[in-house]
Amino acid sequence: MYAPYSPKILFASGAIFMLANCEPRTPAAAGEARLAQPEAVPAADSAPLPAPRPLVAVREVPLTEGFSLRLKGGKQVDGFCVYEALQIRKDGRLLWTDTADEYEFNEPFYPLLLPNTARRYDLLVEVNRRPGMSHGRVFRIRDGKVAGREDVPVFVAPAGNQDQDPALEYAGYWSFFETWDEQQQPLTSYNPLVFYEQTSRGLQLDSALTRQVNQRIYGQYHGFRFRQDLPQPVSIVGRLDDEVARVKRRAGR
């Protein structure tokens, strides 16, 4: 029988990240465009929270470099705010519309706008996949157009120097852990910690660092994708916790 499992240091209470009125926070003025840190939940004996304001039809999220996001159809899902439509705009001009997926802004450093070279940007947002684990989506914006998109894990920390080169890296993993018993041995899936490097060509998979770290976790490298067909001893979850803690320390969290 499968049982969901999340490494202890990667678990975040929905109450902490919930935005009660589904209103995205304003990104930081300098550096990466991101949402402000969420406010702490008051203690039970403190003054009660005000009633949430009604959902509005449209929300605007201003970013840097003239970009903005327009979100439509806000709703609550399992205590989290998600939106049924996303528009990407540049200087007021519509670049992209997506109504096929639901988007959320509950993590403190999404959305991210990463400038690469002139007129080239990577925009990262979070796609809702509840009750499973959400994932990130990179929109490749080139010369004023969305030239492509790629799904990546939701990152566990802001960018940090995770190896010896000068570039900064992000890291994340694909899925919640599930455990099951096989011949009285608790097992889980191959769920690699994947690293992406911020380069002049955009956000790119750092295959060398991904291989190195997952060899430490799993004993050998089985690729950068989640694989349920490669059962692993549950003890690897503790090693993954250690690696994620290292990523967060190097990112200053």
Side-chain angles (χ1 to χ4, degrees), residues 22-102:
C22 285
E23 181 176 359
R25 300 176 185 270
T26 303
E32 298 169 345
R34 64 182 63 185
L35 300 184
Q37 292 288 342
E39 298 174 356
V41 176
D45 57 353
S46 62
L49 290 171
R53 287 176 287 173
L55 299 180
V56 297
V58 178
R59 291 290 184 192
E60 300 283 349
V61 182
L63 306 176
T64 57
E65 307 286 339
F67 285 94
S68 65
L69 303 180
R70 179 171 292 180
L71 309 167
K72 298 181 179 180
K75 62 182 181 180
Q76 297 274 355
V77 176
D78 296 331
F80 290 84
C81 298
V82 301
Y83 297 87
E84 295 177 335
L86 170 75
Q87 291 183 350
I88 303 172
R89 294 175 173 267
K90 175 74 164 74
D91 298 323
R93 182 171 62 90
L94 179 64
L95 302 185
W96 185 269
T97 298
D98 186 5
T99 58
D101 289 303
E102 293 180 337

Side-chain angles (χ1 to χ4, degrees), residues 71-243:
L71 309 167
K72 298 181 179 180
K75 62 182 181 180
Q76 297 274 355
V77 176
D78 296 331
F80 290 84
C81 298
V82 301
Y83 297 87
E84 295 177 335
L86 170 75
Q87 291 183 350
I88 303 172
R89 294 175 173 267
K90 175 74 164 74
D91 298 323
R93 182 171 62 90
L94 179 64
L95 302 185
W96 185 269
T97 298
D98 186 5
T99 58
D101 289 303
E102 293 180 337
Y103 291 86
E104 62 175 277
F105 294 85
N106 299 299
E107 293 292 340
F109 46 89
Y110 284 94
L112 282 170
L113 182 66
L114 305 177
N116 304 321
T117 56
R119 297 176 58 82
R120 298 168 64 92
Y121 306 87
D122 284 348
L123 172 64
L124 282 81
V125 295
E126 186 178 359
V127 180
N128 174 47
R129 284 291 183 265
R130 303 182 193 283
M133 190 169 184
S134 297
H135 65 253
R137 178 162 293 165
V138 184
F139 289 96
R140 312 284 189 183
I141 302 172
R142 306 292 185 261
D143 297 319
K145 298 179 181 179
V146 175
R149 64 181 189 176
E150 177 184 353
D151 288 345
V152 299
V154 169
F155 298 138
V156 300
N161 193 342
Q162 303 294 335
D163 53 18
Q164 301 304 313
D165 63 31
L168 300 181
E169 289 86 18
Y170 296 90
Y173 62 102
W174 294 104
S175 176
F176 293 123
F177 282 86
E178 293 181 336
T179 62
W180 67 93
D181 288 334
E182 191 170 300
Q183 297 180 351
Q184 297 184 334
Q185 180 183 5
L187 299 174
T188 190
S189 302
Y190 176 72
N191 194 8
L193 186 62
V194 186
F195 291 81
Y196 289 82
E197 189 171 59
Q198 190 173 335
T199 75
S200 60
R201 297 181 294 113
L203 198 67
Q204 302 290 325
L205 175 70
D206 190 330
S207 55
L209 183 57
T210 298
R211 176 184 294 273
Q212 174 187 338
V213 170
N214 286 284
Q215 282 178 334
R216 287 201 299 265
I217 297 172
Y218 294 96
Q220 56 182 313
Y221 180 58
H222 299 290
F224 69 97
R225 290 292 184 185
F226 174 87
R227 292 186 60 179
Q228 195 168 3
D229 63 328
L230 288 174
Q232 305 292 319
V234 169
S235 59
I236 63 93
V237 177
R239 294 197 289 271
L240 178 64
D241 280 340
D242 293 340
E243 293 294 341

